[in-house]
Amino acid sequence: MKNIIRLFQFYFFWLFLSVSFAQEGKDNQLVYPKISKEPAIEIHYGIKIIDEYSNLNKLEDSVVKEWFKAQDSLAESYFAANDIMKNYLERLRKLQNNAESSVSMIRINEAGNYFYLKYDDSLGYEKLFFRENLADNEKELYNPFQYGGENLSITYLKPSFDGKKIAIGFNENGGFSSKVLIYDLEKKKVLEDVITKINPDFGGIEWLPDSSGFIYLYFPEVDKTQPEYKKNSFSVIHKLGKNPESRIPIFQTNEDLLISEDFYPKVKIGSSLDKHIIGYVASSDDYYDSYIATISDVLQGKPDWKPFFKKEDAIFYDQGEVRGGDFIFRQGNLKGNLLGKVSIKNPDFNNPIILAEGSTDNPIIKFEVTKSNIYYARSLYGSNVSLYVLNSSNEIQQLQPPFDPGYATFFGGSIMHNNIGVGLDGWTTDYTRYLIHKDGSFSREVLSPLLTYPEFENIITEQIMITSHDGVEVPLSLVYKQGMERNSANEVFIYVYGAYGESMSPFFSPIFLDWAEQGGVLAFPHVRGGGEKGKEWHEQGMKNLKYNSWKDLIACTEALINLNLTEAGLISLYTSSAGGITAGMAVNERPDLFSSFIAEVPRLNPLGLESSSTASSTSYLEYGTVKDSTEFTGLLKMDPYLNIRSQMLYPAVLVMPSYNDDRIPLWDSGKYIAKLQNSNHTNNPVLMDINYQNGHESVGDYDESVQLYSKIFSFAKSNMKH
């Protein structure tokens, strides 16, 4: 009987494939799963909004669930029959295997102890290792399997200041909440303290100066189906050995501190010498309101929070350090930004001591404080990084790194000593960590082998400036093989973002470079909404000015054609998360430019999310709110779902949402796909491939990463129209 069932299943599977699509070359004829329309009408400020697929909001409805599963099955069937996908799987596995031996998540505490993960090929997961210092032999600290962990993937590490304990985090079932364990290096065991209802992306472990415990951001509700999901969070103190359920609130909304339920009151402790603790009212903005209290009061569970800097002072939230009686910070301004210093006792953020300044095109992007020096980085148009050191005599020296980086991040700095390192990356140069010495020289941190990729030696980069719709120049980074002919027959893969002030900084990815090695062009438009030209560049792509983001993208795409690098039909567009607005609206306005549109965990219905009664996000600070008539208009204009036009010839579309996404609900992508499948008048595939395991930012293990990008690049390749 089982054999008969298997035979029937096999026959039905191939019958489904033959009915669903016939793949001849690049023509796809798909029969999409059907879902009825249940239009909902909302009227805002006299404007009628029709949400044609409002029923897809009911994610627990059995009919809706089955529709999503059918969409996912259709996408999986499409890729199962795609020979180009099989070729990518084979090629990308080889590239990825070359990187599996490297260490990851390296953490260095004040004492110079090293904690890091190392992938075990035979076991298929990462284990935690320790070195007392860089020259010491490594010791295995923690094997998730030996401790009976159901989840073998470590997602967070934070050592104590003295290096005697380390917090180890695991994401729970791909959802919002994580679980954090504490490993005691002296006792060589995991302590009984288990922290739950924490999300390290929003606020991780902040060890107390004496390492006796820590502070973390606690979320009372982590079930995304509940109306209080992610709301009313507060910082709590936990002393090791105490009951983790006996949480002592130390920074939260109350009669003195009026904090919005959607904001995140978290804290920062920079070193074991700190006498003060900074409390931040965090949101999706670059600037926060902050408060300050003494560590001694916090330890007693009775902190006296005093106002410190305000949002209007334009202090970048993650760029402030306490050193003695001073607070050193990065501050935004119209000319770029600056490094400044104020006295903690009498802070005057309007008239700080200016330590260093950036410019609009070449802003300061980050800094690190050591015992005697301040190291900082500037980034020209988001792609060319320069490094500097400011010594105790306020003398600035530009450093000369081993290569010209496109991205840099400092590590190992502390006000306890003058040791520091920097990780450097670029479009064609692999991420490498270097130690910076007293004389300004660099040496490689030999913790992991230096990987080589001879197949990419002939790949080169250039950055050009493109004039956008309003005359503003937009940087465009290109990566391609040396000697490539400019004959309009080149296949282009565009990756765009343009939101939250995040720059499209250069990154080394063998998976991406494979496209250029095959003869294609990688293009990275640095559109407004990002941070490539400082805070003003971000603001010009926010709220009612969001249209600049997709018009910059359209201008860059047209420039690729005008420069005879490619032609319409040979341009694939890829994005993720908030980039869905930029890319989705570019496709809506100029569908003729693109051969395919691929979006991973995208935001495609921002107005729907901002008007949702269950919204638990501060994204309205970036896009606008329906509670303001002007911002509502901007939301409506930037909504890819609501602006899909019927009878249009749309390119091939692949949307890849995550079921456990804590920021963008599944219905956001579902509505867009349902409407587009009924509006598109071509044979181009319109697919939704759902990740049912991971969340918004978690890709999974090495094999899952290969699977993901094999789908992305094979879809782009399959739908080129020469």
Side-chain angles (χ1 to χ4, degrees), residues 68-331:
F68 276 108
K69 288 180 180 178
Q71 290 284 355
D72 182 59
S73 295
L74 179 61
E76 293 297 334
S77 300
Y78 172 90
F79 287 113
N82 190 313
D83 289 336
I84 296 178
M85 166 76 173
K86 297 171 186 175
N87 292 334
Y88 265 100
L89 279 171
E90 181 180 351
R91 195 162 60 250
L92 297 190
R93 279 196 182 110
K94 292 179 181 178
L95 289 173
Q96 193 76 338
N97 287 339
N98 192 21
E100 287 185 7
S101 61
S102 61
V103 301
S104 63
M105 213 178 290
I106 303 171
R107 302 289 184 262
I108 309 172
N109 71 334
E110 276 187 353
N113 307 141
Y114 274 76
F115 301 81
Y116 54 91
L117 302 181
K118 182 183 284 187
Y119 188 79
D120 190 310
D121 292 317
S122 62
L123 298 176
Y125 58 85
E126 293 173 311
K127 296 186 290 186
L128 174 61
F129 288 84
F130 168 78
R131 293 184 189 223
E132 188 169 344
N133 55 67
L134 191 57
D136 188 31
N137 293 326
E138 70 179 15
K139 303 177 183 67
E140 181 182 316
L141 279 190
Y142 182 84
N143 183 334
F145 182 79
Q146 290 180 349
Y147 278 87
E150 296 179 3
N151 190 337
L152 300 179
S153 179
I154 298 172
T155 56
Y156 177 74
L157 294 175
K158 185 68 177 288
S160 59
F161 291 116
D162 61 12
K164 295 180 180 179
K165 299 174 183 67
I166 183 167
I168 308 172
F170 304 85
N171 183 253
E172 296 183 312
N173 303 316
F176 175 76
S177 179
S178 290
K179 176 175 67 175
V180 175
L181 309 178
I182 307 299
Y183 184 87
D184 189 313
L185 275 73
E186 292 182 318
K187 297 179 180 179
K188 298 181 180 180
K189 70 173 187 177
V190 174
L191 302 181
E192 295 182 0
D193 312 61
V194 179
I195 305 302
T196 58
K197 294 191 174 183
I198 178 176
N199 185 306
D201 289 338
F202 285 76
I205 296 294
E206 292 292 320
W207 284 97
L208 297 173
D210 63 0
S211 301
S212 64
F214 48 81
I215 297 171
Y216 69 96
L217 186 65
Y218 171 71
F219 289 88
E221 183 56 72
V222 295
D223 183 348
K224 65 181 180 181
T225 66
Q226 299 302 310
E228 295 301 305
Y229 173 54
K230 291 200 297 186
K231 296 180 179 179
N232 298 304
S233 60
F234 54 93
S235 285
V236 300
I237 187 170
H238 172 73
K239 299 300 290 286
L240 295 176
K242 302 296 183 180
N243 182 0
E245 299 298 320
S246 301
R247 304 176 183 90
I248 303 174
I250 56 98
F251 187 46
Q252 77 283 354
T253 185
N254 54 41
E255 58 187 23
D256 297 319
L257 303 177
L258 301 179
I259 301 173
S260 168
E261 64 178 7
D262 291 326
F263 284 44
Y264 309 107
K266 60 184 183 180
V267 304
K268 182 176 181 180
I269 303 174
S271 79
S272 62
L273 295 180
D274 282 5
K275 303 298 182 184
H276 293 86
I277 181 172
I278 310 296
Y280 298 90
V281 183
S283 69
S284 62
D285 199 355
D286 286 331
Y287 307 140
Y288 301 163
D289 288 335
S290 77
Y291 299 82
I292 192 167
T294 63
I295 293 289
S296 57
D297 286 345
V298 171
L299 289 176
Q300 295 175 22
K302 299 178 180 179
D304 181 19
W305 293 105
K306 303 293 186 183
F308 197 37
F309 56 79
K310 303 294 291 181
K311 178 179 177 179
E312 293 75 21
D313 293 321
I315 310 300
F316 284 94
Y317 71 92
D318 60 344
Q319 300 282 308
E321 296 290 340
V322 174
R323 185 163 69 181
D326 294 328
F327 181 70
I328 301 168
F329 56 91
R330 183 165 71 96
Q331 185 176 35

Side-chain angles (χ1 to χ4, degrees), residues 3 9 23 62 64 70 103 203 262 342 380 391 423 541 590 687:
N3 289 335
Q9 289 174 334
Q23 189 168 351
S62 59
V64 173
V103 301
D262 291 326
V342 296
L380 179 64
N391 63 25
R590 290 296 307 276
L687 302 172

Side-chain angles (χ1 to χ4, degrees), residues 534-703:
K535 182 61 177 176
E536 186 178 5
W537 197 248
H538 174 204
E539 292 175 343
Q540 288 178 12
M542 288 174 59
K543 296 184 178 180
N544 286 65
L545 295 176
K546 186 63 188 173
Y547 63 86
N548 283 322
S549 298
W550 68 80
K551 290 189 181 294
D552 287 352
L553 170 57
I554 290 172
C556 288
T557 307
E558 290 176 329
L560 291 170
I561 297 172
N562 295 334
L563 290 169
N564 206 34
L565 280 169
T566 189
E567 61 186 13
L570 298 180
I571 305 172
S572 180
L573 176 60
Y574 167 65
T575 192
S576 60
S577 193
I581 296 175
T582 299
M585 285 305 302
V587 170
N588 277 349
E589 287 200 6
R590 290 296 307 276
D592 58 299
L593 287 177
F594 308 102
S595 56
S596 60
F597 168 40
I598 305 163
E600 185 187 354
V601 291
R603 176 153 289 172
L604 296 167
N605 182 209
L607 190 146
L609 187 63
E610 298 307 334
S611 61
S612 170
S613 61
T614 59
S616 54
S617 167
T618 59
S619 57
Y620 62 87
L621 298 173
E622 178 77 10
Y623 308 118
T625 173
V626 296
K627 298 176 182 178
D628 180 277
S629 60
T630 302
E631 293 184 2
F632 162 77
T633 302
L635 270 171
L636 179 58
K637 290 180 178 179
M638 75 174 71
D639 196 298
Y641 162 62
L642 294 175
N643 285 286
I644 289 174
R645 293 177 288 171
S646 60
Q647 309 298 319
M648 289 294 292
L649 303 178
Y650 280 89
V653 173
L654 172 63
V655 172
M656 311 177 81
S658 287
Y659 181 78
N660 292 312
D661 198 322
D662 63 280
R663 302 174 198 181
I664 304 175
L666 188 58
W667 53 255
D668 187 292
S669 289
K671 291 179 180 181
Y672 177 84
I673 286 295
K675 187 173 182 179
L676 193 60
Q677 286 176 346
N678 283 281
S679 302
N680 195 13
H681 287 263
T682 71
N683 288 330
N684 295 325
V686 177
L687 302 172
M688 180 165 57
D689 184 34
I690 304 170
N691 186 327
Y692 279 97
Q693 280 72 48
N694 299 312
H696 186 75
E697 291 184 333
S698 54
V699 175
D701 59 23
Y702 288 109
D703 188 61

